[in-house]
């Protein structure tokens, strides 16, 4: 039986396959951003679903990095999770490690913010406050331009994400920073 899951159930699936604090923190950061965008873009009634997509987006990455966005589909099917959740999670690897194109606005947001939250989070750690709360766009743009900084965050994916959403890169950065500032965990 295919089921919708609660946030607590999604967390239990996540921690079954992820133990590293960094991966768990990233999952929560993306979850928070996705919840924020659900509210901001008029999908408030789907906030938990959007959040669960963010929470589970890298469910397979720690154990199966070479099969990222492929293995997650198997994992989520084993847990009888609903197809829209599986599709959305897998779509964030479009053109990188899978061929499921982000179509729904939620999928496009996930594609765009996954890498960017990583870059912003890394930039926050370099600040005296270790927080995004006092961060501004110019700080993000400076780190974005520095290819050696957070080299694992793919700038082309971030640019493509902004394009998919029909947003300027600065708009994506400002809105994602605001999403992260609105998460009490940041």
């Amino acid at each position: 039986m295919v089921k919708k899951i609660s946030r607590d159930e999604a967390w239990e699936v996540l921690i079954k396959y992820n133990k590293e604090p960094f991966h768990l923190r990233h999952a929560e950061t993306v979850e928070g951003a996705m919840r924020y965008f659900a509210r901001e873009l008029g999908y408030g009634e789907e906030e938990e679903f959007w959040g669960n997509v963010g929470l589970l987006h890298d469910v397979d990455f720690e154990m199966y990095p070479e099969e990222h966005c492929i293995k997650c589909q198997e994992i989520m099917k084993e847990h009888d999770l609903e197809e829209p959740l599986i599709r959305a999670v897998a779509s964030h690897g479009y053109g990188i490690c899978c061929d499921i194109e982000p179509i729904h606005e939620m999928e496009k947001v996930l594609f765009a913010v996954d890498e960017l939250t990583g870059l912003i989070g890394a930039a926050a750690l370099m600040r005296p406050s270790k927080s995004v709360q006092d961060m501004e766009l110019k700080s993000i743009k400076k780190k974005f331009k520095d290819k050696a900084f957070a080299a694992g965050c793919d700038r082309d994916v971030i640019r493509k994400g902004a394009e998919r959403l029909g947003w300027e890169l600065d708009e994506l950065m400002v809105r994602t920073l605001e999403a992260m500032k609105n998460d009490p965990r940041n």
Side-chain angles (χ1 to χ4, degrees), residues 18-60:
N18 291 267
K19 308 295 181 212
E20 292 291 325
F22 173 81
H23 291 143
L24 297 174
R25 180 71 186 107
H26 175 65
E28 289 179 314
T29 298
V30 176
E31 172 198 16
M34 293 300 290
R35 285 179 172 277
Y36 173 85
F37 279 110
R39 293 187 304 271
E40 289 297 306
L41 298 175
Y43 297 93
E45 70 284 351
E46 298 175 27
E47 182 179 337
E48 185 165 276
F49 178 76
W50 283 48
N52 287 341
V53 168
L55 193 63
L56 292 172
H57 82 283
D58 281 346
V59 69
D60 61 353

Side-chain angles (χ1 to χ4, degrees), residues 13 69 107 112-113 122 132 137 148 150 160-161 177:
V13 172
C69 293
E107 296 169 343
V113 305
V132 297
L137 175 62
K160 288 175 185 174
L177 177 59

Side-chain angles (χ1 to χ4, degrees), residues 116 119 123 137-151 153 155 158-159 169-170 173:
L116 185 53
L119 182 97
L137 175 62
K138 66 181 179 177
S139 297
I140 300 167
K141 289 175 75 166
K142 182 178 178 183
K143 296 299 186 188
F144 185 86
K145 289 177 185 173
D146 180 357
K147 305 254 188 281
F149 178 79
C153 294
R155 274 70 166 168
I158 296 169
R159 282 188 201 93
L169 184 57
D170 282 6
M173 289 179 177

Side-chain angles (χ1 to χ4, degrees), residues 90-102 111 157 160 164:
S91 75
H92 88 280
Y94 180 68
I96 305 160
C97 52
C98 80
D99 61 356
I100 299 172
E101 184 174 1
F111 183 89
V157 169
K160 288 175 185 174
R164 282 192 172 281

